Amino acid sequence: MLRTPRTVIRVLSKHQSVDLLNATTNPTHKLIMRLALTTGLRREELATFPLKYVIDPVMYTKHRSFIRINLDPRDMTIKRNQPRGIDVPRTVMEALWQYVLNRRHQHENISGQRQSVLFLTESGQPYANDGAAFLGLVKKAGAAAGIPYINVHILRHTYATHTLYAMMQSKAQTHALLYVRDRLGHASVTSTEKYLHCLSELEDALMNDYQSEIDLISRGDWQCLEKNFNRQPPAPGKDASDKTLELTSLPPAQMVVSLPENATGRRNLDFAKHYGNGCDVVVYATQRALDLMARACAESDGKTLSAATIARYHQNGLSAFLPFCATMSAALKRELRLDDIDRQFIDQFIAHLRQSDVRLSSQKVRYATTKAVLAAMGESGWIAKDIFPRNPFPNSNRSMKGQTALSEPERRSVLQALKTDMRAIIKGSGSLTSEELAVCLLAIAARTGINPTPALELLTDCLQPHPIKSDRYVLVSFKRRGNATHIQSLRRAADVESMVSALPDVARIIDLVRERNDTIRQSSNSRRFCLSTRAYPGKTPGKWAGWLNTLSPAALRRFSTGIR
DNA sequence: ACTATGCAAATGGCCTCGAG
DNA sequence: CTCGAGGCCATTTGCATAGT
């Protein structure tokens, strides 16, 4: 501990703060000190800190390392009844959240009474008398850590001094002072300025990375807490059983994840080849994660993640990640476990990608898609969260090459060819083949300019009468983009990809497709899509005969390369 | 309050290959 | 000949934030 001659303010150095926390064995006490050291709360504020201020950090969507909490005198004891905001490190909030779910819950059950304050004693009661007991436990920890003089308020001084110091490295002194004043709830900045005197007395080396250092040492406990939490039976809920991971009999009988109906060529994701390489647990966890995504996709009608995206997770991400896991297993000479997947493991995976001979953008995609799957596994509680570095592949969106439009003569000849083909189709009868459908699609696209994938997913009711112009129609297509945060099953304005006005000839094409392929569509598994056809029209009695499908991108591509 | 900008994630596109 | 799988790359979109 360092003291200054002119003031009575005493603060802890970074190392002393760390020692203090390490000397505390009781997790609740440690958490109280950690909150005090990272937010500068007063003793009475710690004692009356409301339970309701603790949130699941996962639900805090702003990508900041601190979570802003607004303290309200109606919820807790605050000096001068003055509301203020404090910034809680995300890692501390995570620890508080785990405390609430785990240890606090147990203590509350001991007394059988629900409490509104956050921190509870071993007997499940709030800390009485504005947290008078904190002094004893801080003193005890201080003695164990070899800190000669300490009290609860020193933790607040320590926060103030170190935060001021850290902020003044990058911001003006005034800014830093005002920030710390507001966090501490000082009425005047002159109170805050007292801490400036401490600064000059302290050595730089003691001051750096104060908060991050404090977080680091507490991480161990936090991870233990999390593991305990995961080991408990899942909370009752309708999807609780879905998210449990059955690891007893591997490899599983079912090694394929089926994707719902979609407009890409992907149908089934095969995991069989990844089993038996020393990482079956990991393979199975990833398989289950994709399975959950696929189900969510089917239930939400593709509004969560599109089937194409899930397929890409498998193809781009896992096809790189799972072989890497196999290599790691070989290197470790043992079966890989789920708790092997930590920050270091991810770093090694990144290094592994970096030495592969694919381009940077591919490395990035492989990493990003793997991350998406692992993050989902983290959400389900199967592996640790927060294991990813900030951005391992910065500036990957370098040079871009745009596509050039067709020249005018080219465009004319394409349109001419389309017109001829369309005329032949109109003359014919019976259901349309995939090639004929491709002509229709291109004709629609050429007249309306809609994008290919939305076009492939046009619904049977895609054509609406134009509200104003009686001789026109509106062609409505939907985009599938969306995150889990906007799950919606209803059509929303934001989901409309385009609403182009269409002349009667487009309406005629769509009507034609709708009528001629109606029988096929009715017996199809994709009856909502307008552009449905029979795969292998009329021939090939193999296993695909009679299989019904949408017009596939592959068919469309082969057709369009044909007309070039 | 609004706009421009930069970054990361999400998504689309195209090629090749093997099986039926 | 068609389809889906495998693989790589490019572009678009969403989000946060700095700047006005």
Side-chain angles (χ1 to χ4, degrees):
Chain A
M1 183 190 63
L2 300 141
R3 51 182 305 173
T4 59
R6 270 190 302 260
T7 69
V8 292
I9 294 180
R10 304 153 193 263
V11 303
L12 303 183
S13 73
K14 181 178 75 174
H15 295 297
Q16 286 176 318
S17 310
V18 170
D19 290 345
L20 183 74
L21 288 179
N22 276 337
T24 314
T25 46
N26 181 313
T28 310
H29 299 170
K30 186 183 258 189
L31 203 48
I32 292 169
M33 291 185 211
R34 199 172 155 197
L35 186 64
L37 280 167
T38 51
T39 61
L41 286 177
R42 297 182 181 95
R43 193 187 70 183
E44 64 272 24
E45 291 163 352
L46 289 166
T48 59
F49 195 86
L51 170 66
K52 68 177 183 187
Y53 286 2
V54 177
I55 58 164
D56 183 354
V58 173
M59 305 307 287
Y60 190 78
T61 49
K62 289 181 184 159
H63 293 171
R64 295 203 184 109
S65 47
F66 293 91
I67 295 175
R68 172 55 62 96
I69 301 290
N70 293 314
L71 308 181
D72 189 323
R74 283 167 297 186
D75 300 326
M76 60 190 288
T77 309
I78 305 179
K79 196 176 175 184
R80 294 181 294 112
N81 284 327
Q82 207 54 41
R84 73 174 194 272
I86 58 169
D87 288 326
V88 180
R90 190 179 273 269
T91 45
V92 173
M93 186 58 86
E94 180 86 47
L96 290 174
W97 180 248
Q98 293 300 334
Y99 167 70
V100 170
L101 292 175
N102 199 34
R103 192 177 164 88
R104 183 185 185 280
H105 184 66
Q106 289 163 5
H107 286 164
E108 208 173 42
N109 283 344
I110 293 173
S111 73
Q113 292 171 321
R114 295 276 164 267
Q115 303 291 349
S116 62
V117 303
L118 171 63
F119 292 115
L120 299 182
T121 62
E122 299 287 307
S123 57
Q125 299 296 326
Y127 283 93
N129 200 9
D130 284 341
F134 294 164
L135 181 62
L137 53 98
V138 169
K139 292 250 184 217
K140 185 174 154 228
I147 300 169
Y149 180 79
I150 193 168
N151 60 42
V152 185
H153 213 67
I154 283 182
L155 305 184
R156 179 171 159 91
H157 292 325
T158 305
Y159 163 78
T161 311
H162 287 266
T163 307
L164 262 183
Y165 177 85
M167 277 202 107
M168 282 164 51
Q169 301 306 299
S170 56
K171 306 262 188 187
Q173 179 175 314
T174 329
H175 182 105
L177 274 172
L178 292 179
Y179 175 85
V180 173
R181 178 198 65 182
D182 292 343
R183 298 296 79 73
L184 291 180
H186 286 155
S188 152
V189 80
T190 45
S191 313
T192 320
E193 277 173 336
K194 291 181 297 186
Y195 296 111
L196 287 177
H197 298 300
C198 302
L199 288 179
S200 55
E201 310 289 329
L202 294 172
E203 293 172 42
D204 285 9
L206 294 177
M207 304 290 290
N208 281 332
D209 299 322
Y210 169 70
Q211 275 185 323
S212 60
E213 190 80 16
I214 299 225
D215 286 345
L216 212 60
I217 63 116
S218 312
R219 260 181 118 75
D221 308 288
W222 165 68
Q223 276 168 358
C224 290
L225 272 177
E226 188 177 53
K227 275 176 192 163
N228 283 336
F229 172 62
N230 291 338
R231 222 172 277 134
Q232 287 177 351
K238 68 175 182 343
D239 60 353
S241 59
D242 285 342
K243 293 213 170 184
T244 50
L245 206 54
E246 180 54 58
L247 298 175
T248 46
S249 59
L250 291 179
Q254 176 62 263
M255 297 195 231
V256 173
V257 172
S258 299
L259 293 177
E261 159 191 325
N262 67 85
T264 74
R266 309 301 206 280
R267 291 292 179 274
N268 296 299
L269 310 177
D270 192 1
F271 284 78
K273 66 182 172 188
H274 296 299
Y275 284 105
N277 294 326
C279 51
D280 285 2
V281 177
V282 178
V283 177
Y284 183 62
T286 58
Q287 179 186 329
R288 291 277 290 119
L290 291 200
D291 194 43
L292 287 174
M293 289 180 196
R295 285 169 204 278
C297 172
E299 280 166 23
S300 72
D301 213 12
K303 291 286 171 6
T304 43
L305 288 176
S306 76
T309 304
I310 299 167
R312 229 163 257 125
Y313 290 169
H314 176 254
Q315 248 107 245
N316 292 341
L318 297 183
S319 67
F321 180 69
L322 294 178
F324 168 75
C325 291
T327 319
M328 283 301 284
S329 156
L332 297 170
K333 295 197 190 330
R334 63 169 170 83
E335 278 282 322
L336 217 56
R337 299 188 307 260
L338 282 175
D339 61 358
D340 285 321
I341 302 177
D342 55 10
R343 173 60 188 268
Q344 202 192 0
F345 193 86
I346 299 297
D347 285 342
Q348 277 163 332
F349 177 54
I350 292 167
H352 170 81
L353 285 176
R354 283 203 178 283
Q355 41 180 271
S356 64
D357 52 2
V358 296
R359 291 241 204 124
L360 185 72
S361 57
S362 302
Q363 295 176 15
K364 187 189 154 68
V365 167
R366 288 175 181 191
Y367 169 74
T369 45
T370 300
K371 179 182 172 184
V373 178
L374 293 182
M377 287 159 62
E379 288 304 312
S380 301
W382 300 341
I383 60 170
K385 292 187 210 172
D386 292 343
I387 53 174
F388 302 106
R390 177 102 178 99
N391 175 17
F393 300 98
N395 305 316
S396 62
N397 48 339
R398 322 157 310 284
S399 60
M400 293 184 195
K401 194 163 51 102
Q403 288 184 342
T404 50
L406 291 179
S407 70
E408 188 51 34
E410 283 170 334
R411 203 179 70 87
R412 262 202 302 272
S413 67
V414 168
L415 287 181
Q416 188 57 48
L418 278 175
K419 206 178 277 180
T420 320
D421 287 348
M422 274 312 300
R423 237 180 277 159
I425 291 171
I426 290 169
K427 271 194 202 127
S429 62
S431 60
L432 299 170
T433 64
S434 63
E435 185 171 321
E436 289 167 334
L437 271 184
V439 175
C440 296
L441 180 89
L442 288 172
I444 294 166
R447 284 164 175 74
T448 59
I450 70 174
N451 285 327
T453 305
L456 282 172
E457 294 186 345
L458 281 175
L459 304 178
T460 42
D461 62 348
C462 59
L463 205 61
Q464 313 284 335
H466 198 290
I468 298 162
K469 297 181 182 166
S470 59
D471 58 337
R472 293 199 173 200
Y473 296 85
V474 181
L475 186 69
V476 185
S477 57
F478 290 90
K479 58 184 171 190
R480 299 168 305 157
R481 229 167 259 260
N483 285 331
T485 44
H486 342 109
I487 299 173
Q488 294 279 336
S489 53
L490 296 172
R491 293 177 169 194
R492 295 176 310 161
D495 292 330
V496 173
E497 162 88 16
S498 71
M499 282 195 315
V500 290
S501 105
L503 287 167
D505 56 342
V506 172
R508 263 172 58 207
I509 299 173
I510 289 179
D511 280 341
L512 179 131
V513 171
R514 236 181 359 211
E515 281 163 26
R516 299 258 292 261
N517 280 21
D518 189 52
T519 10
I520 287 180
R521 198 175 303 107
Q522 285 313 312
S523 56
S524 158
N525 48 353
S526 48
R527 70 184 51 165
R528 289 165 37 262
F529 288 160
C530 186
L531 298 166
S532 290
T533 183
R534 184 184 296 278
Y536 299 102
K539 35 185 173 177
T540 337
K543 70 170 178 174
W544 297 105
W547 190 262
L548 296 156
N549 213 331
T550 54
L551 173 59
S552 78
L556 178 60
R557 185 180 72 240
R558 272 175 277 271
F559 171 75
S560 37
T561 44
I563 59 170
R564 264 192 216 130

